[in-house]
């Protein structure tokens, strides 16, 4: 009986909004990203440099990480290697958001450990589509309804 109640209690918990960690040194880009993520019902941790990204990723366990490549200090490439080597963060989807868009760049980006990339400048729809693609299972059913309306 107690066990059954515990299960029912768990079932009633409202789903947590997806948490996204974004590292982007350009303030305008970070602001744009925050609008897009907010409109999708995601929570955002934004960072302008990579000095604390690994720590924050370990601590907060975001559902997805968006990483600029060219950053002051450690680059997105260095960072993704560290994230993918660390057991606590290796399973988190990491997406490069970068102006480095040549075929060679893309190969290097994926070889470094990124799961995917989106090239700057991007259309808002592209960023939305990518986030929905990776986090559809974390987004509420109302989001699916929104998709049907589009
Ligand atoms: Mn940058």
């Amino acid at each position: 009986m107690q066990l059954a109640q515990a299960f029912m209690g768990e079932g009633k918990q409202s789903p947590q909004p997806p948490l996204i960690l974004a590292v982007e040194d350009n303030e305008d880009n970070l602001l744009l990203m925050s609008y897009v993520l907010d409109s999708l019902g995601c929570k955002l941790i934004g960072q302008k440099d990579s000095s604390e990204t690994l720590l924050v990723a370990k601590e907060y366990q975001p559902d997805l990480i968006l990483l600029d490549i060219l950053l002051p200090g450690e680059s997105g490439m260095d960072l993704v290697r560290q994230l993918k080597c660390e057991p606590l963060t290796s399973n988190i989807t990491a997406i490069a958001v970068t102006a480095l868009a040549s075929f060679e760049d893309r190969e290097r980006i994926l070889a470094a450990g990124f799961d995917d990339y989106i090239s700057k400048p991007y259309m808002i729809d592209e960023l939305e589509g990518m986030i929905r693609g990776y986090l559809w299972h974390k987004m509420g059913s109302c989001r699916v309804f929104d998709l049907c309306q589009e």
Side-chain angles (χ1 to χ4, degrees):
M1 186 63 184
Q2 273 184 336
L3 195 63
Q5 277 175 344
F7 273 117
M8 282 175 70
E10 259 176 48
K12 276 181 194 161
Q13 276 179 5
S14 55
Q16 292 287 312
L19 179 66
I20 296 181
L21 173 60
V23 190
E24 166 62 75
D25 60 319
N26 181 296
E27 211 161 324
D28 292 336
N29 287 347
L30 191 58
L31 192 65
L32 174 65
M33 231 176 241
S34 75
Y35 286 136
V36 175
L37 298 175
D38 193 49
S39 76
L40 289 172
C42 298
K43 292 244 177 262
L44 171 71
I45 302 173
Q47 297 182 325
K48 283 195 233 162
D49 68 69
S50 52
S51 59
E52 293 187 340
T53 304
L54 193 59
L55 277 175
V56 169
K58 281 198 230 175
E59 180 74 23
Y60 290 89
Q61 295 288 304
D63 297 295
L64 188 137
I65 304 178
L66 295 170
L67 277 182
D68 184 17
I69 299 289
L70 302 175
L71 290 163
E74 280 183 309
S75 75
M77 298 290 242
D78 296 332
L79 213 50
V80 80
R81 288 189 191 102
Q82 293 170 37
L83 287 164
K84 292 298 178 182
C85 284
E86 164 59 55
L88 286 172
T89 57
S90 60
N91 290 326
I92 302 173
T93 303
I95 297 175
V97 183
T98 178
L100 303 173
S102 74
F103 181 75
E104 290 76 14
D105 290 330
R106 289 171 190 221
E107 294 282 288
R108 282 195 307 128
I109 284 166
L110 295 177
F114 280 104
D115 297 281
D116 215 330
Y117 55 81
I118 183 164
S119 48
K120 289 193 280 197
Y122 54 81
M123 303 295 283
I124 288 174
D125 286 357
E126 284 180 75
L127 183 62
E128 272 195 28
M130 183 156 287
I131 289 166
R132 282 193 155 124
Y134 281 102
L135 298 181
W136 60 271
H137 58 289
K138 296 274 305 184
M139 293 179 167
S141 52
C142 57
R143 297 289 159 194
V144 177
F145 180 73
D146 288 348
L147 274 177
C148 297
Q149 298 276 295
E150 277 163 11

